[in-house]
Amino acid sequence: MSTELPPVAPEVLAEAVENLTARLRKKLDDATAGCADTAVREADGSVTFRFGEDALVTLRPGPAGTVTEAGQATCTCLLAPRCLHRAAALGAAPLADAAPPEPEPAVTAGSEQATAAGAAESAGADASAETASAEVCSAVPGGPAEAVPALTAAQLGAAAALWHAAAEALAAGVTAGGAVVQAELLRAAHTARLAGLPRAEAAALRVVRGLRAARERRTAHRLGDLTGSFRELLHTAGFLASGAADPALTGTSRRAYAAGGSLQVHGLCREPVLSATGYGGVVTHLLAPDGSRYSISDVRPGGLARARGAGRASVALGGATLDHAGLARGGLRIVGATVSAEGRLGAGRGVKATPLPGAPWTDGPAAPLFARPAAEAVAALLADSADAADTETTLIGCDVVVVGPAGDHLLVREALPDAPLLRLLPAHPHPELPHTENLRRIAAYPGLRLRVLGRPDLDRAATLRPVAVGPVPGEPYTLRLPEEWLGRADLGYERLQGEHFPPRDTAAPATGPGPVPGPASDAPDPLADSPLWRVRRLLETGVAGGRRAVAEAARGTAPLAAYGPLRRAGLTGAADLATALAAEADRRPRDAFGRLADPSPDGYAWAWLAAATHLAGAERSLVAASWTATPSGATSAAP
């Protein structure tokens, strides 16, 4: 079993790589690849790496367990600290978070995204880099046409440097995005943090982690996730570098809490939080009588064990005597509340809280969540926010009829006339959490009526990730939960057993109020049926193989054959942008001596971002349409 390495601050690694000579940089990837196997944990808590007989690298993490200063990494060779050994050891260690992570539920592989439907739809095949840049910026709410605060000179410089590093990394792709490319991104990310651009820094760190996962071929890596991370980074850096910024893109390094006065909140459910950087905990969702949403979270280092145990940890709020399990089915009356913009409740000194009796989903503030069709709730969610990050933590409710398992998901139909089929996926797929097992048990009861509270997955067609379920009032063939559960089960903490389900002989025909469901394979999926997959494949090819791989698509007659189906389906904007991207990737003008006349990757990066932004907006529209009973026929053309 390999030794667990301490996390390293991004700026420490970036400085170590920057101090290397050009000759040593060429050897860095090979040196980093195998050095983790030589790591040894010493009695004093330090970690040592042996490089031959004369070089011993020692990492001495600080009290928080992280290497945050250059002096905490030493080497015994003559070239230290500007040596290959030290940089390789630092590069083998995981990246530390620049700041404590936001206590968001880690439920999907997706990352924060800022997309706009129809961005750059009118761009032609001969669109220049400047035109693509203007289209991307103008398509996003809060663009230069609106009154937004100007950036400082330091922020403009940091954003421009981050854009350049991101464009270079995109042009290199995973195949050439080794330690040196990653270090340039880390250096630019650190500059962005110092300039007060925490969101840009976070986007850069996600890209670096994605490049590492791809190059190490980790099982959890998904090329689509890395593509989304590149889109977010380029969009954020490019927009900031334009000279004006929406505060949502600038970001805040610490969550600000404001006085919220007196509040009365009731528990909805709780769910485990498990981040990729070793943090674990719980978040409990709350509702006020007026429908306002709040939450209380408890997230700390500890990973899976912390996430599993925090479900019954005490609520650290104003002397409340509840734990999170009790709060999820109870309530609080809070005096002197402090609330963040996202609705998170803070535990300030003046906050006082007393417990309140809980309310079932059928009564009180939770009842309206299940009163309207899921399609309306999703449409309102998309209309209220252009930022996917604002939708990833919003829960919606609906009553469904179980159809049965289908591949990696559970197929259900909303209990409404002419309702579409919906897919239920685990809110967190970790095998040690009970989400997957609970859905598997539910799938064994076709026709079961179920009340579901979950988070729509806006990267998939008509997909909901449930965090809690309950019985449907007045239905005989539904869940039979213990009275103390107050009519709901938290799928991340409670395990459904056979006694929680009705006898099978009481099942009614699984027709529901709508038509009889067909086979799972017949469930419509406008996203999968759309020829937009051709654009997605081109973008992901660029992320995996870099600019050179995309350029191959521009040679010969391939573009005409590849994007003809897009034009026949009416997706001319997507076809034009994909063609322009391939042409820009292959545009390598040279002077009379054979040298590149325009070596800058900016034009290629803008063309890639324009296509990626358009694709994200188009796919978001298809996902929204999939929640209705009749998907758009124009997007289901044969590929």
Side-chain angles (χ1 to χ4, degrees):
M1 183 175 179
S2 60
T3 301
E4 183 178 355
L5 304 182
V8 173
E11 62 270 20
V12 175
L13 174 58
E15 182 182 10
V17 176
E18 185 179 12
N19 289 336
L20 296 179
T21 64
R23 181 179 63 86
L24 292 178
R25 290 186 184 187
K26 295 178 181 179
K27 301 179 179 181
L28 182 55
D29 287 333
D30 292 337
T32 303
C35 72
D37 298 332
T38 69
V40 176
R41 173 75 63 173
E42 303 295 342
D44 61 355
S46 63
V47 177
T48 58
F49 303 78
R50 174 65 65 178
F51 292 87
E53 297 182 358
D54 300 325
L56 181 68
V57 176
T58 303
L59 302 184
R60 294 184 176 86
T66 302
V67 177
T68 57
E69 299 177 1
Q72 294 174 337
T74 60
C75 180
T76 59
C77 78
L78 296 177
L79 293 179
R82 302 173 181 269
C83 63
L84 179 65
H85 315 117
R86 180 173 174 272
L90 290 171
L95 283 178
D97 289 314
E102 300 293 339
E104 304 285 359
V107 295
T108 64
S111 63
E112 291 185 352
Q113 303 168 356
T115 62
E121 178 65 45
S122 61
D126 59 346
S128 64
E130 291 79 7
T131 303
S133 169
E135 287 168 345
V136 172
C137 290
S138 63
V140 181
E146 299 183 8
V148 293
L151 299 178
T152 66
Q155 289 175 324
L156 285 173
L162 188 56
W163 165 266
H164 180 73
E168 292 282 3
L170 178 68
V174 171
T175 55
V180 175
V181 172
Q182 295 171 27
E184 292 297 328
L185 272 173
L186 294 178
R187 168 62 70 184
H190 179 59
T191 304
R193 175 159 68 100
L194 296 179
L197 302 174
R199 175 163 177 173
E201 179 206 17
L205 294 183
R206 281 194 295 272
V207 168
V208 173
R209 290 192 176 103
L211 288 173
R212 284 187 166 194
R215 290 178 62 83
E216 295 170 8
R217 299 183 179 180
R218 300 176 192 168
T219 55
H221 164 69
R222 290 180 63 246
L223 188 58
D225 293 340
L226 182 55
T227 301
S229 297
F230 262 112
R231 182 181 68 246
E232 166 69 5
L233 174 58
L234 288 169
H235 165 74
T236 303
F239 194 88
L240 292 173
S242 68
D246 189 316
L249 285 182
T250 306
T252 56
S253 57
R254 297 181 63 88
R255 178 174 289 114
Y257 287 84
S262 297
L263 294 176
Q264 180 176 319
V265 294
H266 295 275
L268 265 180
C269 63
R270 62 189 162 137
E271 60 175 319
V273 177
L274 185 60
S275 78
T277 53
Y279 284 78
V282 63
V283 58
T284 298
H285 299 276
L286 309 165
L287 268 182
D290 62 357
S292 300
R293 304 190 182 207
Y294 300 93
S295 64
I296 296 178
S297 59
D298 181 4
V299 181
R300 303 176 188 174
L304 177 63
R306 182 74 174 73
R308 296 174 64 180
R312 290 196 170 274
S314 297
V315 176
L317 183 70
T321 57
L322 290 175
D323 59 15
H324 280 272
L327 179 58
R329 294 183 173 90
L332 288 175
R333 179 177 287 109
I334 307 172
V335 178
T338 57
V339 187
S340 75
E342 299 84 1
R344 287 176 176 80
L345 297 177
R349 291 184 179 180
V351 178
K352 303 296 181 183
T354 56
L356 291 174
W361 282 356
T362 53
D363 301 322
L369 292 178
F370 306 93
R372 62 175 176 174
E376 291 185 12
V378 172
L381 187 61
L382 293 174
D384 290 342
S385 176
D387 192 336
D390 295 336
T391 65
E392 289 180 353
T393 57
T394 301
L395 303 178
I396 66 171
C398 59
D399 293 345
V400 301
V401 181
V402 174
V403 176
D408 64 344
H409 55 265
L410 167 62
L411 205 62
V412 301
R413 184 183 295 278
E414 194 172 3
L416 293 171
D418 300 322
L421 291 171
L422 306 180
R423 300 158 180 83
L424 301 187
L425 281 175
H428 201 300
H430 197 288
E432 296 296 325
L433 296 175
H435 294 96
T436 301
E437 179 185 346
N438 283 329
L439 288 186
R440 188 180 298 116
R441 285 184 174 272
I442 293 172
Y445 289 82
L448 182 74
R449 300 298 179 103
L450 199 66
R451 176 157 285 186
V452 177
L453 185 68
R455 184 175 295 103
D457 186 343
L458 300 181
D459 292 329
R460 292 172 176 253
T463 299
L464 192 68
R465 294 185 180 268
V467 297
V469 296
V472 177
E475 292 290 344
Y477 196 61
T478 188
L479 290 177
R480 302 182 178 183
L481 301 179
E483 184 177 351
E484 60 269 20
W485 286 15
L486 208 65
R488 64 258 204 180
D490 296 330
L491 296 180
Y493 286 105
E494 284 139 354
R495 297 182 183 273
L496 296 175
Q497 306 295 334
E499 61 187 12
H500 299 146
F501 293 90
R504 296 181 187 274
D505 57 7
T506 63
T511 58
V516 178
S521 58
D522 294 338
D525 188 343
L527 190 60
D529 296 339
S530 168
L532 285 171
W533 65 267
R534 299 172 183 273
V535 183
R536 189 184 315 113
R537 184 174 64 180
L538 180 67
L539 295 170
E540 292 181 353
T541 296
V543 171
R547 178 174 183 167
R548 181 175 299 180
V550 176
E552 294 296 330
R555 302 191 177 107
T557 59
L560 296 178
Y563 307 130
L566 288 168
R567 300 184 189 280
R568 290 194 293 272
L571 301 170
T572 56
D576 289 344
L577 289 169
T579 303
L581 171 60
E584 178 62 30
D586 200 36
R587 188 184 66 84
R588 307 285 281 179
R590 297 183 181 272
D591 60 19
F593 298 98
R595 297 171 299 191
L596 285 176
D598 182 17
S600 172
D602 286 359
Y604 170 73
W606 279 119
W608 188 94
L609 179 58
T613 302
H614 180 277
L615 175 66
E619 289 184 334
R620 180 63 60 88
S621 297
L622 292 180
V623 168
S626 71
W627 287 83
T628 64
T630 53
S632 174
T635 59
S636 59

